[in-house]
């Protein structure tokens, strides 16, 4: 009932905001119109979240003017069946899908207001870069973007850009899903020969998790070793801890403060779902994640330039941070960052949620032994196969929900081999156990090689990557 009440209040707030916007429009006050638009965007995001909460509590879709019965019994059996599709919950901290096939990314594009990476954009990336598109792009793993065409326009005019991605160090060991943005970012860095900044949000993890500051900072160093093991060029890569860099860079902190001034408490509540009981550190944190989007935050790299475009490869659950950033950027005289969004790396138990470092049975860690990898895949990887060998041979398996096949789309680079596996599995020629064996034989050497590279990363190398300094590139 409280969720329903909040939804009603939110609808009233949207209506009143629209009325205010209309009045301001007649008066011709451009500044006020911009402010009201931002408030509307925040209110819409809050409304979407509340509708999801309402359905989770009542098992029904919210319908205006149709309150639930007073004696409604809320069960734990999932949402009630109706003629409306369930909504996926996607925010920076939670991902859950209503379908066993996972999140409906086409709907998410519409909901977030981004653009699909289509064939035309893929061809243009290949033309401008002079390289075949990465298999993450070809297979739709990176599926959505904001302003990628503008980045390519600038590059064609011999204007450089830089990359920004990040990692929230909540544990000592990273899992294979954490590698996805770094594998792709490494490819972008190599292909376009551009600098990269990697934000380690140890401050965020201290605010959100039951961890000490010392633990968060130690996890930053340990995670940085895994990131460096991906093969980034030390001459073009700066990795930084928020806990260290914020105090060492006045320009970075000034950009944080500029963003903070232009985002209201109502907006962050609407965008991120914060409540009155959240600590003030959480409420102010989004401005810290926004700041690396601006080249002036890194004077040692860009010499104080404010006009170097930024491209952010990230999972789409991070998009709320950068919608906020893109809304604020013009109002503080800075460029909007461009984005490339990836799908989520599914948990072993299925595509309805993403892999989590907090659940060891849902994840394959970069520290796992070959035996652990084999056991986890065989025991926990959700199967799209049939219950019996006879049924599977007759009807085939479902690659849309089979976790072993989904993982191969990320890590098996050979397109022809992947297509053959798909054909054999859907026809019933390939059994679930055989598909799992292919995945195990793909993951074991990949993770073993990563572990060997990580052993070569010394504390001195980490210090070199994390020292503020000029990087070697042309702009």
């Amino acid at each position: 009932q409280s969720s329903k009440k909040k939804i009603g209040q939110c609808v009233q707030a949207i209506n009143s905001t629209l009325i205010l916007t209309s009045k301001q429009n007649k008066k011709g006050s451009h500044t006020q119109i911009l402010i009201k638009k931002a408030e509307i965007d925040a209110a819409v995001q809050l409304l979407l979240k509340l509708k999801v909460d309402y359905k989770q509590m009542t098992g029904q879709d919210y319908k205006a003017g149709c309150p639930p019965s007073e004696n409604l019994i809320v069960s734990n059996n999932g949402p009630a069946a109706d003629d409306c599709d369930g909504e996926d919950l996607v925010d920076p901290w939670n991902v859950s899908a209503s379908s066993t096939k996972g999140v409906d990314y086409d709907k998410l594009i519409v909901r977030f207001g981004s653009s699909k990476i289509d064939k035309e954009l893929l061809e243009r990336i290949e033309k401008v870069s002079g390289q075949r598109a990465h298999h993450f792009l070809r297979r739709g793993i990176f599926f959505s973007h904001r302003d990628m065409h503008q980045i390519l326009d600038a590059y064609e005019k011999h204007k450089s850009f830089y990359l920004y991605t990040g990692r929230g160090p909540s544990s000592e060991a990273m899992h294979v899903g954490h590698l996805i943005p770094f594998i792709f970012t490494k490819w972008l860095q190599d292909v376009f020969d551009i600098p990269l900044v990697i934000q380690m949000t140890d401050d965020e993890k201290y605010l959100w998790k039951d961890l000490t500051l010392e633990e968060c900072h130690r996890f930053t160093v340990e995670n940085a070793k895994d990131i460096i093991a991906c093969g980034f060029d030390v001459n073009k890569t700066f990795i930084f801890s928020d806990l260290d860099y914020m105090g060492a860079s006045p320009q970075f902190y000034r950009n944080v403060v500029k963003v903070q001034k232009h985002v209201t408490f109502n907006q962050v509540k609407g965008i991120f779902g914060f409540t009155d009981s959240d600590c003030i550190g959480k409420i102010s944190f989004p401005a810290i994640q926004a700041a690396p989007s601006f080249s002036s935050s890194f004077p040692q790299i860009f010499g104080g330039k404010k006009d170097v475009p930024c491209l952010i490869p990230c999972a789409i659950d991070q998009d709320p941070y950068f919608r906020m950033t893109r809304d604020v950027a013009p109002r503080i005289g800075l460029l909007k960052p461009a984005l490339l969004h990836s799908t989520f790396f599914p948990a072993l138990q299925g595509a309805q949620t993403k892999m989590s470092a907090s659940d060891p049975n849902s994840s394959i860690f970069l520290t796992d032994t070959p035996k652990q990898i084999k056991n986890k895949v065989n025991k926990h990887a959700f199967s799209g196969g049939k219950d019996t060998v006879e049924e599977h041979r007759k009807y085939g398996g479902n690659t849309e929900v089979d976790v072993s096949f989904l993982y191969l789309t990320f890590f098996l680079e050979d397109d022809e081999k992947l297509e053959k596996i798909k054909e054999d599995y859907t026809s019933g020629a390939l059994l679930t156990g055989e598909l799992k064996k292919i995945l195990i034989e793909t993951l074991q050497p990949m993770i073993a090689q990563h572990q060997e590279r990580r052993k070569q990363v010394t504390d001195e190398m980490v210090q070199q990557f994390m020292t503020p300094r000029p990087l070697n590139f042309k702009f």
Side-chain angles (χ1 to χ4, degrees):
Q1 290 293 344
S2 63
S3 182
K4 176 187 172 295
K5 184 178 179 181
K6 288 180 183 177
I7 292 172
Q9 291 172 342
C10 191
V11 171
Q12 289 178 355
I14 292 172
N15 290 336
S16 62
T17 306
L18 286 167
I19 293 169
L20 286 170
T21 305
S22 175
K23 289 179 179 178
Q24 292 295 342
N25 189 30
K26 290 176 182 177
K27 293 178 182 178
S29 174
H30 182 65
T31 302
Q32 290 294 326
I33 291 168
L34 283 174
I35 293 171
K36 294 302 176 185
K37 178 184 180 298
E39 290 181 358
I40 292 170
D41 289 343
V44 169
Q45 291 304 314
L46 177 59
L47 178 61
L48 290 170
K49 182 179 185 301
L50 288 170
K51 282 186 174 181
V52 172
D53 292 344
Y54 180 84
K55 184 166 184 176
Q56 287 178 338
M57 286 190 292
T58 67
Q60 299 176 1
D61 286 316
Y62 173 75
K63 293 180 176 63
C66 299
S69 169
E70 292 294 334
N71 59 358
L72 174 71
I73 298 174
V74 180
S75 72
N76 292 321
N77 297 327
D82 54 33
D83 56 359
C84 296
D85 292 334
E87 289 188 61
D88 298 326
L89 175 61
V90 176
D91 64 35
W93 307 281
N94 302 287
V95 175
S96 63
S98 58
S99 166
T100 55
K101 295 180 181 179
V103 172
D104 187 327
Y105 292 105
D106 288 331
K107 283 186 178 179
L108 207 56
I109 286 173
V110 174
R111 179 173 148 195
F112 281 8
S114 59
S115 301
K116 189 168 185 175
I117 296 177
D118 55 19
K119 184 180 178 182
E120 178 189 352
L121 181 55
L122 280 179
E123 290 174 350
R124 191 170 180 216
I125 290 172
E126 291 184 336
K127 179 182 176 182
V128 173
S129 68
Q131 301 285 334
R132 189 185 186 201
H134 194 277
H135 70 275
F136 286 178
L137 285 169
R138 300 195 308 269
R139 296 174 188 172
I141 291 169
F142 275 82
F143 69 100
S144 166
H145 76 100
R146 296 187 188 274
D147 290 348
M148 186 60 190
H149 281 292
Q150 284 88 322
I151 290 289
L152 296 174
D153 288 343
Y155 192 78
E156 284 182 320
K157 295 173 183 175
H158 307 289
K159 182 177 175 64
S160 187
F161 62 96
Y162 73 101
L163 299 166
Y164 158 38
T165 193
R167 161 78 183 129
S170 59
S171 61
E172 190 167 334
M174 291 168 58
H175 60 61
V176 289
H178 292 140
L179 288 181
I180 303 308
F182 296 110
I183 291 171
F184 186 62
T185 301
K186 167 80 166 54
W187 179 81
L188 289 170
Q189 184 183 57
D190 291 346
V191 165
F192 290 101
D193 191 25
I194 47 176
L196 162 67
V197 297
I198 300 174
Q199 181 183 45
M200 307 296 286
T201 57
D202 37 17
D203 53 344
E204 176 206 13
K205 294 309 173 187
Y206 174 69
L207 294 168
W208 262 268
K209 302 284 186 178
D210 185 20
L211 298 167
T212 66
L213 278 173
E214 291 73 23
E215 286 174 321
C216 293
H217 195 267
R218 180 170 61 83
F219 292 160
T220 283
V221 174
E222 293 304 313
N223 286 187
K225 291 179 181 178
D226 278 308
I227 293 168
I228 292 167
C230 292
F232 290 107
D233 184 346
V234 68
N235 297 310
K236 294 183 174 64
T237 306
F238 174 46
I239 304 173
F240 65 98
S241 150
D242 282 345
L243 292 174
D244 291 338
Y245 191 62
M246 276 273 284
S249 176
Q251 292 85 350
F252 185 94
Y253 183 60
R254 287 175 184 177
N255 281 338
V256 170
V257 172
K258 287 178 184 177
V259 175
Q260 288 173 338
K261 182 174 181 177
H262 288 80
V263 180
T264 68
F265 182 42
N266 276 339
Q267 284 177 272
V268 292
K269 283 200 296 184
I271 297 168
F272 300 102
F274 296 144
T275 67
D276 293 343
S277 62
D278 281 311
C279 70
I280 59 174
K282 290 183 180 181
I283 295 158
S284 62
F285 173 75
I288 298 172
Q289 186 157 324
S293 307
F294 310 125
S295 58
S296 55
S297 295
F298 305 100
Q300 74 277 11
I301 300 174
F302 302 108
K305 285 182 174 289
K306 296 182 179 181
D307 61 347
V308 183
C310 175
L311 175 62
I312 306 171
C314 62
I316 197 166
D317 60 343
Q318 298 300 300
D319 188 69
Y321 284 110
F322 301 114
R323 289 201 302 271
M324 181 200 77
T325 305
R326 286 167 56 85
D327 179 70
V328 170
R331 290 188 272 149
I332 59 176
L334 298 172
L335 297 179
K336 292 182 180 183
L339 288 97
L340 290 170
H341 298 126
S342 75
T343 59
F344 303 115
F345 193 83
L348 281 166
Q349 286 78 7
Q352 285 185 285
T353 186
K354 67 177 182 177
M355 185 174 280
S356 170
S358 61
D359 181 359
N361 289 327
S362 79
S363 307
I364 295 173
F365 290 96
L366 299 179
T367 52
D368 282 349
T369 64
K371 183 177 180 180
Q372 286 174 316
I373 294 167
K374 181 179 180 180
N375 288 340
K376 285 183 178 182
V377 171
N378 283 331
K379 282 186 178 181
H380 300 294
F382 184 81
S383 169
K386 298 298 182 286
D387 292 337
T388 66
V389 172
E390 291 75 16
E391 287 181 348
H392 188 88
R393 293 291 191 201
K394 183 176 181 180
Y395 300 110
N398 184 355
T399 56
E400 292 185 338
V401 300
D402 193 288
V403 165
S404 295
F405 182 81
L406 294 176
Y407 282 16
L408 287 172
T409 65
F410 285 87
F411 297 122
L412 185 62
E413 295 186 24
D414 190 319
D415 288 342
E416 291 183 5
K417 187 173 181 181
L418 184 69
E419 185 60 31
K420 181 67 165 61
I421 291 169
K422 182 177 182 179
E423 290 176 4
D424 288 349
Y425 193 62
T426 54
S427 70
L430 187 70
L431 299 175
T432 295
E434 294 168 333
L435 178 57
K436 288 187 174 185
K437 185 172 184 288
I438 294 171
L439 175 63
I440 291 165
E441 291 174 349
T442 302
L443 288 176
Q444 285 176 334
M446 183 191 84
I447 293 175
Q449 289 164 15
H450 178 88
Q451 290 169 353
E452 284 302 311
R453 292 193 301 270
R454 193 186 189 280
K455 287 179 184 177
Q456 309 305 315
V457 179
T458 64
D459 290 338
E460 289 73 23
M461 289 174 66
V462 174
Q463 185 63 37
Q464 189 178 2
F465 271 92
M466 299 188 74
T467 298
R469 66 203 187 281
L471 299 180
N472 297 335
F473 78 105
K474 296 178 181 179
F475 61 87

